[in-house]
Amino acid sequence: MHEHYPQPTRMLLLTVALPVYNGERTIERAIRSIQAQTWQGDMEILVYNDGSTDGTASIVDTLSKIDKRIILAGSEQNRGRPHARNELLRLGRGKYFAWLDADDEWYPLKLEEQFERLLEEQNLLQSDKVWCMCPCLIKGWDSAPFIFSPKTVQDPLKALLGGRLRAYLHTMLGPTESLRRLGGFDPQFPRLQDLDFFIRFVADGGQFVSTRHDEPLSVYNKSIKTSDCIL
C-alpha cells in the first residue's frame, strides 16, 4: 500500500513531453497512461508530431478536444528525434519536465513517487541539478521482460559509461532549467542521444536519485534486441 503524499501546487507546473513519428498504433496508449497518473498536480501534455504520414496528428487532435492539457505541436517534415526533443524543450512551460516516447507507457504511481523523492532531495541539497529516475520494465522482442532498477551510485559517469546506470530519458523527472542548461540534444547522436545528454548533466554537476520502491513505474516497449536497449 502506497501513501499519498501532498500534491505540488500550481507553481510546480509539469511539462510531459512526447516526441512522435508515425505513432498511430501506440500514441493514445501513451497519453492515456499520463492521464491515469495518481499525481494530480498541474501539467501540460506536449506532443511534438515530427512529420508523421499516418493518423498520429488526428488521434492527438481528437484527444486534445477532450483534455485541454494536451497540446499538439510539430513539423510537416520529419526532422528526426533530436530536433523534436529540442523543440519540446523550447516549447515546454513547466517548471518541471518529464519525457515519454510514443510507444512507451507509465504506471499510475510514477509521477507521485518521483515528485515525493525529487522535491525532498532538492530541498536537502538546495540544488536544482537533481533528476529522479525510476525502475522500468524493459520489453524487447528477443527475451522475457525484465526490470531495470536504477540505484544511486558514487560515480555516475563511470556507471553510465559501463552500463550500470542506463540512460533512459523516459524514466526521469527533473527541473526544466536543469535540462535547458545542457544546450539541447545533439543531432550527431541519433541513437545515443540519451546517454550523451545524461553524461553532460553529470559533467554539469548533476546528481541522480531514484524512487524508494523497486516496482517498475514505466514500461519500455521496444521492438529491438534487449541487449541494444542501453540508449
Side-chain angles (χ1 to χ4, degrees):
M1 179 68 67
H2 293 275
E3 297 179 11
H4 287 266
Y5 300 96
Q7 305 295 346
T9 68
R10 291 189 64 85
M11 294 177 62
L12 303 190
L13 175 68
L14 169 68
T15 295
V16 182
L18 288 87
V20 56
Y21 172 67
N22 287 350
E24 66 178 7
R25 293 186 299 109
T26 61
I27 185 65
E28 182 170 353
R29 180 187 65 195
I31 291 174
R32 296 290 188 197
S33 76
I34 299 169
Q35 294 172 320
Q37 292 297 298
T38 57
W39 182 79
Q40 294 298 310
D42 290 312
M43 74 166 74
E44 60 178 6
I45 303 171
L46 185 55
V47 181
Y48 189 88
N49 178 31
D50 189 24
S52 295
T53 58
D54 62 1
T56 296
S58 178
I59 293 170
V60 177
D61 184 61
T62 298
L63 293 172
S64 71
K65 289 180 170 59
I66 302 170
D67 187 343
K68 299 303 182 183
R69 298 175 301 174
I70 300 172
I71 302 167
L72 177 61
S75 168
E76 293 184 0
Q77 178 183 359
N78 177 245
R79 301 182 63 182
R81 185 184 292 182
H83 172 80
R85 285 177 164 175
N86 288 335
E87 283 296 288
L88 286 163
L89 265 179
R90 181 181 68 84
L91 294 168
R93 298 174 300 166
K95 181 175 180 178
Y96 289 88
F97 214 93
W99 302 88
L100 181 61
D101 284 347
D103 51 355
D104 297 330
E105 58 193 299
W106 290 347
Y107 290 131
L109 283 165
K110 179 182 184 291
L111 291 179
E112 182 177 337
E113 293 205 10
Q114 283 191 296
F115 261 119
E116 185 262 336
R117 184 68 199 281
L118 177 65
L119 296 178
E120 177 186 275
E121 202 69 21
Q122 279 190 281
N123 184 62
L124 178 66
L125 298 174
Q126 292 296 296
S127 171
D128 72 340
K129 296 181 179 180
V130 183
W131 291 355
C132 183
M133 303 172 70
C134 71
C136 67
L137 181 67
I138 299 175
K139 294 182 178 180
W141 59 263
D142 62 325
S143 68
F146 69 96
I147 297 172
F148 172 70
S149 184
K151 302 296 182 185
T152 302
V153 293
Q154 292 294 324
D155 188 342
L157 179 58
K158 181 178 180 181
L160 284 168
L161 294 174
R164 290 178 51 229
L165 184 63
R166 301 193 183 190
Y168 297 143
L169 201 64
H170 68 93
T171 69
M172 61 79 57
L173 169 71
T176 302
E177 288 307 314
S178 71
L179 282 77
R180 288 181 174 151
R181 190 182 296 123
L182 304 180
F185 292 87
D186 192 334
Q188 297 184 64
F189 292 92
R191 273 203 71 229
L192 297 174
Q193 58 190 258
D194 287 20
L195 178 58
D196 172 64
F197 204 66
F198 274 55
I199 288 173
R200 283 188 279 135
F201 175 65
V202 171
D204 188 48
Q207 301 185 52
F208 300 110
V209 295
S210 183
T211 51
R212 287 191 169 83
H213 304 98
D214 290 329
E215 297 96 335
L217 294 173
S218 65
V219 182
Y220 187 56
N221 291 308
K222 294 302 174 188
S223 58
I224 59 176
K225 289 184 179 180
T226 304
S227 59
D228 292 336
C229 285
I230 308 176
L231 300 176

